[in-house]
Amino acid sequence: MKYDLAIIGGGPAGYTAAELAGLNGLKTILFEKNSVLGGVCLNEGCIPTKTLLYSAKVYYTAKESAKYAISCENVGFDLSKIIARKNKIVRKLNAGVRAKIQDAGVENVVGQAIVTKINNDGIWISCNDQVYTVDKLLLCTGSEVVVPPIPGIGETEYWTSREALDNKELPQSLIVIGGGVIGIEFASFFNSLGTKVIVVEMMDEILGGMDKELSAQLRNEYSKKGVEFHLSTKVTSVNGNKVEIEKDGQKSILEGEKILLSVGRRPVLDGFGLENMNLEKFRNGLKVNEFMQTSNPDIYACGDITGFSLLAHTAVSEAEIAIEHILGHHRKMSYKAIPGVVYTNPEIAGVGKTEEILQSEGISYHVKQLPMAYSGRFVAENEQGGGACKLILADDDTILGVHILGNPASEIIVIAGIAIEKGMKADELKAMVFPHPTVGEIIKEVL
Ligand SMILES: Cc1cc2nc3c(=O)[nH]c(=O)nc-3n(C[C@H](O)[C@H](O)[C@H](O)COP(=O)(O)OP(=O)(O)OC[C@H]3O[C@@H](n4cnc5c(N)ncnc54)[C@H](O)[C@@H]3O)c2cc1C
């Protein structure tokens, strides 16, 4: 049977595209090798981590409740129940995605799809010994964990984010190799529950890509909570529960009950017949244009497979662009205002340019910044909380970047993203009415 569109991969890129395509009348088939839809994001990424982090936040708040004149005695937690709650939420959302795909009239095949050939009849895909031909193909195979060639890693039992999510016994101590977003979110989770956490990061600051000044403030908050950070430090070998590190030519050994490896992810480029498609690559992913077309105009690619952003909301936006293009529209993908959020406690979020990027690009800018304590609502809810809101403006006052440390940065950053995407100037954003009292008012206050 011939289809208008086949999608390989049922993560945020794949399921968003499938639903949109189906609702717009394209005869669509979605291949996912796992028995559930949702991809990394829903099954072992965004949603499970945020579910665990929320339990950790509730536990932390309960312990701190005296601050709010509330007495909570015998505050404790049951890690196996926290994991069970996480699994229940994932199952619920899995069912939601499945229902949307069915309602959109998309055929969902469980199995590994492989493109076998491309000819005048279309693109040929084989899955579970069946052959399908399609006019257009969308590749959404996502990304996988990078395991760096650290001496001893092959003989060591380590966790990746996948194992860390399902561990039911709290380790006494944990060495996190890699202080990026995923590493720091897990450091936050285990630190909140009482594990001694040590973070080793090769760069001179955690959370590369986020605002450096605010990342340093967040690191200080976690240092106060007991997390040990080793910056500008390289892991030179691992052996059992020992990690050898090197800083400024000096070697030393760290010991931890568990080791979590979180040094990054890379696009999945094998297992779907890429060798039969002759597509161009860019860096470590697939090359695409602003409509998400690969070097073959009938084949699109969205999400982590492009190796570009590695975020679920980027994957979703790219999927919308690809399907719109297949339907004959020409909206281009814009990466100007993709928010980045780290769901620590406090959260840190940023959108648009950082000072570091602007300096490297030689673009002149000025900064307006206030402590979060200038927001009444923030003070009401975070009596002793630090944090800051930083706006980066061009010489003509166009908003170039907004960076926030403080809860709920993940929600406030949306306003900033819209302002940046629309090219708003400081006065235009300041003229908007913000509800009072909200933490988001801090943006207006800064302006
Ligand atoms: C621990 C962790 C936390 C994260 N937290 C966040 C967060 O808070 N916010 C955020 O924006 N992003 C987060 N991410 C990143 C986010 O999960 C990814 O950016 C997102 O899942 C990418 O979506 P995707 O559709 O490109 O690919 P994926 O979600 O990776 O899905 C790809 C799918 O393709 C399937 N597949 C691959 N090959 C084939 C084949 N040949 N046939 C059939 N199926 C195939 C795979 O089984 C998989 O289900 C997190 C990631 C991790 C690991």
Side-chain angles (χ1 to χ4, degrees):
M1 192 183 282
K2 188 135 189 215
Y3 293 82
D4 296 325
L5 171 68
I7 299 167
I8 302 183
Y15 71 69
T16 302
E19 187 191 8
L20 199 57
L23 290 176
N24 280 282
L26 293 177
K27 189 167 172 49
T28 305
I29 185 162
L30 170 64
F31 298 98
E32 168 54 60
K33 63 183 175 184
N34 286 334
S35 57
V36 286
L37 293 172
V40 168
C41 178
L42 177 44
N43 297 296
E44 52 180 283
C46 328
I47 297 296
T49 48
K50 270 79 251 181
T51 310
L52 297 188
L53 284 162
Y54 192 71
S55 288
K57 192 171 171 185
V58 171
Y59 174 61
Y60 179 80
T61 309
K63 281 199 306 175
E64 296 277 300
S65 63
K67 206 165 85 175
Y68 303 97
I70 307 290
S71 48
C72 286
E73 279 159 26
N74 302 322
V75 178
F77 63 86
D78 179 335
L79 187 53
S80 58
K81 286 188 182 161
I82 292 178
I83 307 282
R85 174 178 175 270
K86 181 262 295 178
N87 292 340
K88 192 172 123 194
I89 285 166
V90 169
R91 280 197 302 274
K92 186 175 176 181
L93 296 176
N94 282 144
V97 174
R98 181 162 300 285
K100 282 209 238 181
I101 293 302
Q102 275 169 359
D103 290 350
V106 173
E107 187 175 333
N108 175 206
V109 175
V110 180
Q112 178 151 0
I114 298 178
V115 175
T116 50
K117 66 177 172 188
I118 302 173
N119 63 17
N120 290 339
D121 294 326
I123 300 162
W124 294 64
I125 299 168
S126 146
C127 184
N128 304 332
D129 298 327
Q130 296 258 22
V131 175
Y132 305 82
T133 49
V134 303
D135 289 333
K136 306 269 183 211
L137 171 65
L138 174 54
L139 298 168
C140 306
T141 55
S143 64
E144 61 194 356
V145 165
V146 170
V147 178
I150 302 171
I153 198 83
E155 297 78 52
T156 298
E157 246 188 55
Y158 58 86
W159 283 348
T160 66
S161 54
R162 187 177 289 169
E163 291 78 30
L165 282 172
D166 280 320
N167 137 77
K168 294 192 181 72
E169 272 172 39
L170 192 71
Q172 294 240 304
S173 55
L174 173 71
I175 301 176
V176 179
I177 302 179
V181 177
I182 293 175
I184 294 301
E185 287 188 350
F186 276 108
S188 166
F189 174 71
F190 285 104
N191 166 260
S192 301
L193 299 189
T195 297
K196 167 70 193 164
V197 178
I198 303 171
V199 176
V200 183
E201 169 55 50
M202 210 153 77
M203 312 291 279
D204 62 358
E205 191 49 85
I206 58 167
L207 302 176
M210 302 294 287
D211 181 88
K212 213 168 173 178
E213 185 188 356
L214 298 187
S215 299
Q217 277 187 35
L218 180 75
R219 177 171 49 77
N220 285 333
E221 297 255 352
Y222 274 95
S223 294
K224 283 187 222 149
K225 291 179 181 174
V227 177
E228 187 179 312
F229 291 94
H230 295 264
L231 302 180
S232 308
T233 302
K234 197 175 159 194
V235 171
T236 42
S237 69
V238 289
N239 182 3
N241 62 345
K242 294 192 178 66
V243 174
E244 187 190 62
I245 56 170
E246 185 180 332
K247 180 171 185 173
D248 300 332
Q250 299 276 342
K251 287 195 171 178
S252 55
I253 303 282
L254 301 171
E255 275 190 58
E257 189 186 323
K258 294 280 178 196
I259 296 170
L260 169 63
L261 194 63
S262 60
V263 298
R265 298 180 63 83
R266 67 161 158 253
V268 171
L269 294 181
D270 50 19
F272 60 91
L274 183 60
E275 58 283 5
N276 302 322
M277 284 181 260
N278 194 24
L279 302 181
E280 275 179 52
K281 292 188 192 157
F282 179 65
R283 297 203 186 120
N284 61 351
L286 281 190
K287 185 176 173 187
V288 287
N289 65 14
E290 61 265 73
F291 304 116
M292 308 316 297
Q293 279 170 305
T294 64
S295 47
N296 177 335
D298 291 326
I299 303 179
Y300 294 72
C302 296
D304 286 9
I305 190 175
T306 65
F308 192 66
S309 164
L310 304 182
L311 287 169
H313 40 280
T314 310
V316 165
S317 293
E318 291 175 343
E320 289 164 354
I321 294 287
I323 299 303
E324 283 179 24
H325 194 252
I326 292 171
L327 291 167
H329 307 290
H330 287 85
R331 187 164 67 94
K332 294 179 180 172
M333 182 62 204
S334 163
Y335 295 95
K336 194 169 143 193
I338 305 272
V341 179
V342 191
Y343 295 79
T344 39
N345 187 20
E347 295 173 349
I348 178 168
V351 63
K353 304 270 186 182
T354 57
E355 286 192 76
E356 294 72 39
I357 297 249
L358 288 166
Q359 283 160 16
S360 72
E361 291 174 350
I363 297 172
S364 122
Y365 66 91
H366 57 285
V367 170
K368 291 188 176 201
Q369 181 168 345
L370 280 179
M372 291 302 280
Y374 273 73
S375 152
R377 174 76 181 275
F378 182 82
V379 176
E381 295 183 356
N382 303 268
E383 211 178 302
Q384 289 134 23
C389 176
K390 177 194 261 192
L391 269 76
I392 305 178
L393 305 167
D395 292 342
D396 68 355
D397 269 356
T398 300
I399 303 162
L400 298 177
V402 178
H403 305 276
I404 301 169
L405 173 64
N407 293 330
S410 58
E411 301 291 343
I412 306 167
I413 207 68
V414 180
I415 311 164
I418 295 169
I420 292 174
E421 185 62 46
K422 295 287 167 205
M424 284 172 99
K425 295 199 174 170
D427 279 352
E428 291 172 298
L429 183 55
K430 205 172 145 190
M432 297 290 159
V433 179
F434 286 62
H436 177 76
T438 51
V439 183
E441 281 174 294
I442 188 74
I443 293 184
K444 195 162 168 143
E445 199 68 30
V446 172
L447 288 170

mmCIF file of all heavy atoms in Angstrom, residues 219-252:
data_model
loop_
_atom_site.group_PDB
_atom_site.id
_atom_site.type_symbol
_atom_site.label_atom_id
_atom_site.label_comp_id
_atom_site.label_asym_id
_atom_site.label_seq_id
_atom_site.Cartn_x
_atom_site.Cartn_y
_atom_site.Cartn_z
ATOM 1 N N ARG A 219 25.508 27.149 40.942
ATOM 2 C CA ARG A 219 26.527 26.229 41.486
ATOM 3 C C ARG A 219 26.793 26.562 42.953
ATOM 4 O O ARG A 219 26.902 25.657 43.794
ATOM 5 C CB ARG A 219 27.806 26.331 40.649
ATOM 6 C CG ARG A 219 28.945 25.481 41.162
ATOM 7 C CD ARG A 219 30.101 25.437 40.199
ATOM 8 N NE ARG A 219 30.518 26.734 39.705
ATOM 9 C CZ ARG A 219 31.248 27.618 40.395
ATOM 10 N NH1 ARG A 219 31.629 27.340 41.634
ATOM 11 N NH2 ARG A 219 31.583 28.780 39.857
ATOM 12 N N ASN A 220 26.869 27.861 43.269
ATOM 13 C CA ASN A 220 27.103 28.250 44.669
ATOM 14 C C ASN A 220 25.959 27.787 45.575
ATOM 15 O O ASN A 220 26.199 27.331 46.690
ATOM 16 C CB ASN A 220 27.263 29.775 44.795
ATOM 17 C CG ASN A 220 28.624 30.193 44.293
ATOM 18 O OD1 ASN A 220 29.570 29.408 44.339
ATOM 19 N ND2 ASN A 220 28.734 31.418 43.789
ATOM 20 N N GLU A 221 24.724 27.906 45.062
ATOM 21 C CA GLU A 221 23.561 27.442 45.855
ATOM 22 C C GLU A 221 23.713 25.957 46.169
ATOM 23 O O GLU A 221 23.464 25.510 47.283
ATOM 24 C CB GLU A 221 22.253 27.644 45.075
ATOM 25 C CG GLU A 221 21.933 29.087 44.764
ATOM 26 C CD GLU A 221 20.817 29.646 45.651
ATOM 27 O OE1 GLU A 221 20.196 28.881 46.397
ATOM 28 O OE2 GLU A 221 20.601 30.872 45.580
ATOM 29 N N TYR A 222 24.118 25.185 45.150
ATOM 30 C CA TYR A 222 24.247 23.739 45.368
ATOM 31 C C TYR A 222 25.490 23.385 46.186
ATOM 32 O O TYR A 222 25.494 22.391 46.898
ATOM 33 C CB TYR A 222 24.183 22.978 44.026
ATOM 34 C CG TYR A 222 22.743 22.705 43.669
ATOM 35 C CD1 TYR A 222 22.039 23.555 42.837
ATOM 36 C CD2 TYR A 222 22.059 21.642 44.241
ATOM 37 C CE1 TYR A 222 20.697 23.344 42.562
ATOM 38 C CE2 TYR A 222 20.718 21.412 43.972
ATOM 39 C CZ TYR A 222 20.045 22.265 43.137
ATOM 40 O OH TYR A 222 18.712 22.048 42.886
ATOM 41 N N SER A 223 26.529 24.209 46.089
ATOM 42 C CA SER A 223 27.704 23.974 46.962
ATOM 43 C C SER A 223 27.258 24.114 48.411
ATOM 44 O O SER A 223 27.630 23.310 49.267
ATOM 45 C CB SER A 223 28.810 24.999 46.695
ATOM 46 O OG SER A 223 29.318 24.813 45.413
ATOM 47 N N LYS A 224 26.411 25.132 48.660
ATOM 48 C CA LYS A 224 25.919 25.333 50.042
ATOM 49 C C LYS A 224 25.087 24.138 50.493
ATOM 50 O O LYS A 224 25.037 23.801 51.668
ATOM 51 C CB LYS A 224 25.067 26.613 50.117
ATOM 52 C CG LYS A 224 25.880 27.887 50.137
ATOM 53 C CD LYS A 224 24.965 29.083 50.396
ATOM 54 C CE LYS A 224 25.330 30.247 49.499
ATOM 55 N NZ LYS A 224 24.209 31.104 49.124
ATOM 56 N N LYS A 225 24.430 23.485 49.525
ATOM 57 C CA LYS A 225 23.611 22.315 49.877
ATOM 58 C C LYS A 225 24.451 21.038 49.941
ATOM 59 O O LYS A 225 23.903 19.945 50.082
ATOM 60 C CB LYS A 225 22.498 22.126 48.837
ATOM 61 C CG LYS A 225 21.423 23.209 48.877
ATOM 62 C CD LYS A 225 20.393 22.912 47.781
ATOM 63 C CE LYS A 225 19.295 23.958 47.743
ATOM 64 N NZ LYS A 225 18.388 23.750 46.602
ATOM 65 N N GLY A 226 25.754 21.177 49.723
ATOM 66 C CA GLY A 226 26.641 20.022 49.920
ATOM 67 C C GLY A 226 27.180 19.362 48.666
ATOM 68 O O GLY A 226 27.929 18.386 48.748
ATOM 69 N N VAL A 227 26.822 19.853 47.471
ATOM 70 C CA VAL A 227 27.363 19.238 46.250
ATOM 71 C C VAL A 227 28.810 19.714 46.067
ATOM 72 O O VAL A 227 29.121 20.894 46.256
ATOM 73 C CB VAL A 227 26.512 19.605 45.010
ATOM 74 C CG1 VAL A 227 27.118 19.020 43.739
ATOM 75 C CG2 VAL A 227 25.070 19.123 45.180
ATOM 76 N N GLU A 228 29.676 18.750 45.718
ATOM 77 C CA GLU A 228 31.099 19.099 45.506
ATOM 78 C C GLU A 228 31.327 19.227 43.999
ATOM 79 O O GLU A 228 30.976 18.326 43.240
ATOM 80 C CB GLU A 228 31.919 17.929 46.086
ATOM 81 C CG GLU A 228 33.397 18.139 46.131
ATOM 82 C CD GLU A 228 34.058 16.905 46.762
ATOM 83 O OE1 GLU A 228 33.610 16.411 47.832
ATOM 84 O OE2 GLU A 228 35.023 16.406 46.154
ATOM 85 N N PHE A 229 31.884 20.353 43.572
ATOM 86 C CA PHE A 229 32.115 20.570 42.135
ATOM 87 C C PHE A 229 33.602 20.570 41.832
ATOM 88 O O PHE A 229 34.383 21.204 42.549
ATOM 89 C CB PHE A 229 31.515 21.915 41.694
ATOM 90 C CG PHE A 229 30.009 21.944 41.723
ATOM 91 C CD1 PHE A 229 29.327 22.430 42.841
ATOM 92 C CD2 PHE A 229 29.265 21.485 40.646
ATOM 93 C CE1 PHE A 229 27.942 22.458 42.874
ATOM 94 C CE2 PHE A 229 27.869 21.512 40.671
ATOM 95 C CZ PHE A 229 27.210 22.000 41.793
ATOM 96 N N HIS A 230 33.989 19.885 40.776
ATOM 97 C CA HIS A 230 35.365 19.942 40.273
ATOM 98 C C HIS A 230 35.292 20.487 38.856
ATOM 99 O O HIS A 230 34.908 19.776 37.930
ATOM 100 C CB HIS A 230 35.996 18.543 40.280
ATOM 101 C CG HIS A 230 36.167 17.982 41.650
ATOM 102 N ND1 HIS A 230 37.339 18.069 42.367
ATOM 103 C CD2 HIS A 230 35.288 17.355 42.468
ATOM 104 C CE1 HIS A 230 37.187 17.511 43.543
ATOM 105 N NE2 HIS A 230 35.943 17.064 43.632
ATOM 106 N N LEU A 231 35.617 21.772 38.704
ATOM 107 C CA LEU A 231 35.550 22.402 37.374
ATOM 108 C C LEU A 231 36.916 22.341 36.696
ATOM 109 O O LEU A 231 37.934 22.097 37.354
ATOM 110 C CB LEU A 231 35.106 23.863 37.516
ATOM 111 C CG LEU A 231 33.752 24.092 38.190
ATOM 112 C CD1 LEU A 231 33.436 25.581 38.262
ATOM 113 C CD2 LEU A 231 32.627 23.348 37.476
ATOM 114 N N SER A 232 36.950 22.606 35.398
ATOM 115 C CA SER A 232 38.191 22.545 34.603
ATOM 116 C C SER A 232 38.949 21.259 34.924
ATOM 117 O O SER A 232 40.175 21.243 35.019
ATOM 118 C CB SER A 232 39.086 23.761 34.899
ATOM 119 O OG SER A 232 38.361 24.949 34.745
ATOM 120 N N THR A 233 38.192 20.207 35.108
ATOM 121 C CA THR A 233 38.776 18.936 35.565
ATOM 122 C C THR A 233 38.429 17.830 34.580
ATOM 123 O O THR A 233 37.273 17.703 34.165
ATOM 124 C CB THR A 233 38.211 18.585 36.967
ATOM 125 O OG1 THR A 233 38.521 19.647 37.852
ATOM 126 C CG2 THR A 233 38.801 17.281 37.492
ATOM 127 N N LYS A 234 39.443 17.047 34.252
ATOM 128 C CA LYS A 234 39.246 15.974 33.271
ATOM 129 C C LYS A 234 39.240 14.622 33.987
ATOM 130 O O LYS A 234 40.057 14.412 34.902
ATOM 131 C CB LYS A 234 40.433 16.025 32.303
ATOM 132 C CG LYS A 234 40.224 15.294 31.035
ATOM 133 C CD LYS A 234 41.400 15.508 30.109
ATOM 134 C CE LYS A 234 41.401 14.370 29.104
ATOM 135 N NZ LYS A 234 42.597 14.243 28.358
ATOM 136 N N VAL A 235 38.338 13.738 33.573
ATOM 137 C CA VAL A 235 38.376 12.365 34.100
ATOM 138 C C VAL A 235 39.387 11.607 33.255
ATOM 139 O O VAL A 235 39.255 11.529 32.035
ATOM 140 C CB VAL A 235 36.983 11.704 34.024
ATOM 141 C CG1 VAL A 235 37.077 10.222 34.359
ATOM 142 C CG2 VAL A 235 36.009 12.405 34.956
ATOM 143 N N THR A 236 40.431 11.064 33.893
ATOM 144 C CA THR A 236 41.483 10.394 33.120
ATOM 145 C C THR A 236 41.317 8.874 33.093
ATOM 146 O O THR A 236 41.767 8.220 32.163
ATOM 147 C CB THR A 236 42.878 10.767 33.658
ATOM 148 O OG1 THR A 236 42.842 10.747 35.073
ATOM 149 C CG2 THR A 236 43.297 12.152 33.200
ATOM 150 N N SER A 237 40.643 8.319 34.121
ATOM 151 C CA SER A 237 40.321 6.885 34.070
ATOM 152 C C SER A 237 39.279 6.555 35.134
ATOM 153 O O SER A 237 39.064 7.343 36.059
ATOM 154 C CB SER A 237 41.575 6.025 34.290
ATOM 155 O OG SER A 237 42.028 6.155 35.622
ATOM 156 N N VAL A 238 38.624 5.420 34.958
ATOM 157 C CA VAL A 238 37.710 4.930 35.998
ATOM 158 C C VAL A 238 38.066 3.479 36.291
ATOM 159 O O VAL A 238 38.515 2.740 35.408
ATOM 160 C CB VAL A 238 36.219 5.034 35.582
ATOM 161 C CG1 VAL A 238 35.749 6.457 35.543
ATOM 162 C CG2 VAL A 238 35.954 4.363 34.273
ATOM 163 N N ASN A 239 37.864 3.112 37.545
ATOM 164 C CA ASN A 239 38.184 1.745 37.957
ATOM 165 C C ASN A 239 37.246 1.391 39.102
ATOM 166 O O ASN A 239 37.396 1.892 40.210
ATOM 167 C CB ASN A 239 39.657 1.697 38.408
ATOM 168 C CG ASN A 239 40.068 0.294 38.795
ATOM 169 O OD1 ASN A 239 39.275 -0.642 38.683
ATOM 170 N ND2 ASN A 239 41.302 0.151 39.259
ATOM 171 N N GLY A 240 36.248 0.568 38.809
ATOM 172 C CA GLY A 240 35.269 0.232 39.848
ATOM 173 C C GLY A 240 34.548 1.491 40.297
ATOM 174 O O GLY A 240 33.968 2.211 39.489
ATOM 175 N N ASN A 241 34.613 1.778 41.594
ATOM 176 C CA ASN A 241 33.925 2.987 42.086
ATOM 177 C C ASN A 241 34.888 4.168 42.251
ATOM 178 O O ASN A 241 34.579 5.154 42.902
ATOM 179 C CB ASN A 241 33.194 2.703 43.403
ATOM 180 C CG ASN A 241 34.155 2.304 44.497
ATOM 181 O OD1 ASN A 241 35.310 1.963 44.220
ATOM 182 N ND2 ASN A 241 33.702 2.345 45.729
ATOM 183 N N LYS A 242 36.074 4.033 41.648
ATOM 184 C CA LYS A 242 37.063 5.114 41.739
ATOM 185 C C LYS A 242 37.180 5.849 40.391
ATOM 186 O O LYS A 242 37.219 5.224 39.329
ATOM 187 C CB LYS A 242 38.442 4.558 42.099
ATOM 188 C CG LYS A 242 38.512 3.957 43.503
ATOM 189 C CD LYS A 242 39.974 3.698 43.870
ATOM 190 C CE LYS A 242 40.114 3.157 45.272
ATOM 191 N NZ LYS A 242 39.535 1.810 45.446
ATOM 192 N N VAL A 243 37.240 7.165 40.489
ATOM 193 C CA VAL A 243 37.376 7.991 39.288
ATOM 194 C C VAL A 243 38.647 8.816 39.429
ATOM 195 O O VAL A 243 38.799 9.576 40.389
ATOM 196 C CB VAL A 243 36.146 8.931 39.135
ATOM 197 C CG1 VAL A 243 36.344 9.900 37.979
ATOM 198 C CG2 VAL A 243 34.869 8.125 38.930
ATOM 199 N N GLU A 244 39.556 8.632 38.477
ATOM 200 C CA GLU A 244 40.794 9.424 38.525
ATOM 201 C C GLU A 244 40.554 10.724 37.752
ATOM 202 O O GLU A 244 40.070 10.700 36.620
ATOM 203 C CB GLU A 244 41.940 8.647 37.885
ATOM 204 C CG GLU A 244 43.269 9.368 38.070
ATOM 205 C CD GLU A 244 44.382 8.736 37.220
ATOM 206 O OE1 GLU A 244 44.242 8.743 35.975
ATOM 207 O OE2 GLU A 244 45.350 8.252 37.811
ATOM 208 N N ILE A 245 40.892 11.847 38.402
ATOM 209 C CA ILE A 245 40.697 13.140 37.740
ATOM 210 C C ILE A 245 42.017 13.900 37.659
ATOM 211 O O ILE A 245 42.941 13.636 38.425
ATOM 212 C CB ILE A 245 39.635 14.004 38.477
ATOM 213 C CG1 ILE A 245 40.003 14.198 39.972
ATOM 214 C CG2 ILE A 245 38.252 13.424 38.340
ATOM 215 C CD1 ILE A 245 39.151 15.221 40.690
ATOM 216 N N GLU A 246 42.044 14.848 36.719
ATOM 217 C CA GLU A 246 43.262 15.649 36.562
ATOM 218 C C GLU A 246 42.869 17.114 36.420
ATOM 219 O O GLU A 246 42.004 17.470 35.620
ATOM 220 C CB GLU A 246 44.007 15.201 35.308
ATOM 221 C CG GLU A 246 45.337 15.914 35.153
ATOM 222 C CD GLU A 246 46.076 15.468 33.887
ATOM 223 O OE1 GLU A 246 45.882 14.333 33.426
ATOM 224 O OE2 GLU A 246 46.816 16.306 33.362
ATOM 225 N N LYS A 247 43.471 17.946 37.257
ATOM 226 C CA LYS A 247 43.253 19.395 37.158
ATOM 227 C C LYS A 247 44.597 20.081 37.265
ATOM 228 O O LYS A 247 45.367 19.795 38.194
ATOM 229 C CB LYS A 247 42.324 19.864 38.281
ATOM 230 C CG LYS A 247 42.061 21.341 38.216
ATOM 231 C CD LYS A 247 40.999 21.805 39.167
ATOM 232 C CE LYS A 247 40.759 23.278 38.901
ATOM 233 N NZ LYS A 247 39.675 23.831 39.598
ATOM 234 N N ASP A 248 44.896 20.987 36.337
ATOM 235 C CA ASP A 248 46.171 21.709 36.317
ATOM 236 C C ASP A 248 47.364 20.750 36.445
ATOM 237 O O ASP A 248 48.306 21.001 37.204
ATOM 238 C CB ASP A 248 46.231 22.741 37.463
ATOM 239 C CG ASP A 248 45.112 23.765 37.351
ATOM 240 O OD1 ASP A 248 44.664 24.022 36.213
ATOM 241 O OD2 ASP A 248 44.675 24.282 38.395
ATOM 242 N N GLY A 249 47.271 19.610 35.781
ATOM 243 C CA GLY A 249 48.377 18.653 35.800
ATOM 244 C C GLY A 249 48.446 17.796 37.058
ATOM 245 O O GLY A 249 49.271 16.888 37.153
ATOM 246 N N GLN A 250 47.578 18.065 38.026
ATOM 247 C CA GLN A 250 47.580 17.288 39.283
ATOM 248 C C GLN A 250 46.507 16.198 39.206
ATOM 249 O O GLN A 250 45.355 16.499 38.912
ATOM 250 C CB GLN A 250 47.222 18.192 40.476
ATOM 251 C CG GLN A 250 48.172 19.330 40.723
ATOM 252 C CD GLN A 250 49.359 18.871 41.554
ATOM 253 O OE1 GLN A 250 49.299 17.833 42.199
ATOM 254 N NE2 GLN A 250 50.445 19.627 41.506
ATOM 255 N N LYS A 251 46.905 14.973 39.512
ATOM 256 C CA LYS A 251 45.921 13.880 39.487
ATOM 257 C C LYS A 251 45.447 13.557 40.897
ATOM 258 O O LYS A 251 46.214 13.683 41.857
ATOM 259 C CB LYS A 251 46.553 12.634 38.867
ATOM 260 C CG LYS A 251 46.735 12.779 37.369
ATOM 261 C CD LYS A 251 47.014 11.467 36.705
ATOM 262 C CE LYS A 251 46.968 11.646 35.189
ATOM 263 N NZ LYS A 251 47.276 10.461 34.457
ATOM 264 N N SER A 252 44.183 13.162 41.022
ATOM 265 C CA SER A 252 43.670 12.692 42.311
ATOM 266 C C SER A 252 42.539 11.700 42.056
ATOM 267 O O SER A 252 42.090 11.534 40.921
ATOM 268 C CB SER A 252 43.189 13.864 43.173
ATOM 269 O OG SER A 252 42.252 14.616 42.460
#
